[in-house]
Amino acid sequence: MQKIGSAIYRRLVIAIPYAWLLLFFLVPFFIVFRISVSTTAIAMPPYEPVFSLSDSFTDFWEKVSSFSLDNYTGLFDDPLYVNAYISSVIIAGISTLITLLIAYPIAYGMAQAPRSVRPTLLMLVILPFWTSFLIRVYAWIAILKPEGLLNELLMSLHVIDTPLIILNTNAAVYIGIVYSYLPFMILPLYSSLEKLDGTLIEAAQDLGCPPITAFWRVTFPLSIPGVVAGCMLVFIPAVGEYVIPDLLGGSETLMIGKTLWTEFNANRDWPVSSAVATILLLILVVPIVLFQRMQAKAEEAGR
């Protein structure tokens, strides 16, 4: 009886995350995909669905087998969407790299700090989350605009003679993304670095390894899980970012989030917008799945 109860408990624990994924991932994805294969219509909502959940099983499969993928193929014929995907990946990739270069020394310093100080440092990293994300982005407008705080400071120090044009450029987008997602990079890095065994560094130094070499051969390889987790936490939301490029970027800043907003709200083309969102999801999910499989195979080989 006890074994039956424990088996039911294990299955329940496993079923909860699967139910969560089904309810909040697969069902919304199915809804978006259903819209993406629909046709645009002047109605509310502005699309005509190809199939309906009220259809019979036979009608459902007949419609599924005959629906068109014109909304998907049309994306690759329009350079706007292709350039938006490429630009989003480039901006997100560069922002992720900059965030990693800034976050790693911070996380390393936190991990090396006395244990009594670490909770305070951790709270300071989490502190920006207590303020609205939108307010923090708006604050950067006041800092980066030509008559903003940054230019006034630099001009008062006689570093520059004329205000720098940073707002409404890609540089402002990089600054906004790096600032907003920096905690997402610091926290997994700190979690990995804080668990490292300090005796490994001492052993490497006792064997004649200089501190820098010991860092690259011992510390950094052991912190790679934190690096990968932090990069994913920054890169994935940065690719689809809308608020930062809309408020800090200029007219030349092309990202897929702004394109999606324009198609959904301005052009009212929900089927094309859903196709754009579906392809974006595949671009983000497929590499993650492949990486997880490679990591699982590496762990099995190591055993």
Side-chain angles (χ1 to χ4, degrees), residues 203-224:
Q205 293 177 351
D206 291 340
L207 294 173
C209 193
I212 296 179
T213 306
F215 170 80
W216 286 111
R217 291 189 175 183
V218 179
T219 304
F220 185 76
L222 293 176
S223 66
I224 286 180

Side-chain angles (χ1 to χ4, degrees), residues 8-247:
I8 295 175
Y9 177 76
R10 286 196 300 268
R11 291 179 180 178
L12 180 62
V13 170
I14 296 173
I16 291 175
Y18 280 103
W20 178 274
L21 289 175
L22 176 65
L23 184 61
F24 294 102
F25 178 77
L26 292 180
V27 172
F29 176 76
F30 176 78
I31 295 173
V32 172
F33 179 76
R34 175 173 173 266
I35 299 174
S36 70
V37 296
S38 303
T39 56
T40 306
I42 302 176
M44 182 58 69
Y47 66 91
E48 184 178 349
V50 176
F51 56 88
S52 175
L53 297 178
S54 60
D55 294 335
S56 64
F57 184 79
T58 305
D59 294 338
F60 176 81
W61 282 111
E62 287 181 356
K63 292 180 179 180
V64 168
S65 61
S66 62
F67 68 67
S68 174
L69 296 177
D70 292 340
N71 292 326
Y72 289 91
T73 57
L75 298 180
F76 299 98
D77 296 332
D78 192 339
L80 172 65
Y81 302 108
V82 177
N83 293 335
Y85 282 121
I86 296 174
S87 177
S88 298
V89 171
I90 292 175
I91 291 176
I94 295 175
S95 301
T96 302
L97 179 60
I98 297 173
T99 306
L100 176 62
L101 295 177
I102 297 175
Y104 202 102
I106 298 174
Y108 185 80
M110 292 171 58
Q112 297 298 316
R115 291 190 176 273
S116 59
V117 182
R118 292 179 189 177
T120 303
L121 297 176
L122 193 61
M123 185 194 68
L124 292 176
V125 173
I126 302 175
L127 194 62
F129 290 118
W130 295 4
T131 307
S132 170
F133 173 76
L134 189 60
I135 293 176
R136 286 186 280 131
V137 176
Y138 267 112
W140 276 104
I141 298 178
I143 295 173
L144 299 177
K145 62 184 181 180
E147 64 276 11
L149 299 176
L150 178 61
N151 279 310
E152 288 184 359
L153 175 62
L154 295 177
M155 293 180 69
S156 63
L157 296 175
H158 302 288
V159 177
I160 58 175
D161 297 327
T162 58
L164 298 175
I165 305 301
I166 302 177
L167 191 63
N168 297 328
T169 64
N170 284 349
V173 177
Y174 290 129
I175 293 173
I177 293 177
V178 170
Y179 165 76
S180 301
Y181 293 105
L182 187 63
F184 292 98
M185 183 70 76
I186 293 176
L187 294 177
L189 286 174
Y190 169 74
S191 178
S192 294
L193 292 170
E194 193 265 342
K195 297 175 182 178
L196 293 181
D197 189 357
T199 58
L200 297 176
I201 304 296
E202 295 177 0
Q205 293 177 351
D206 291 340
L207 294 173
C209 193
I212 296 179
T213 306
F215 170 80
W216 286 111
R217 291 189 175 183
V218 179
T219 304
F220 185 76
L222 293 176
S223 66
I224 286 180
V227 173
V228 173
C231 289
M232 287 186 178
L233 289 175
V234 174
F235 179 80
I236 292 174
V239 170
E241 182 59 54
Y242 162 72
V243 174
I244 295 174
D246 184 60
L247 296 180

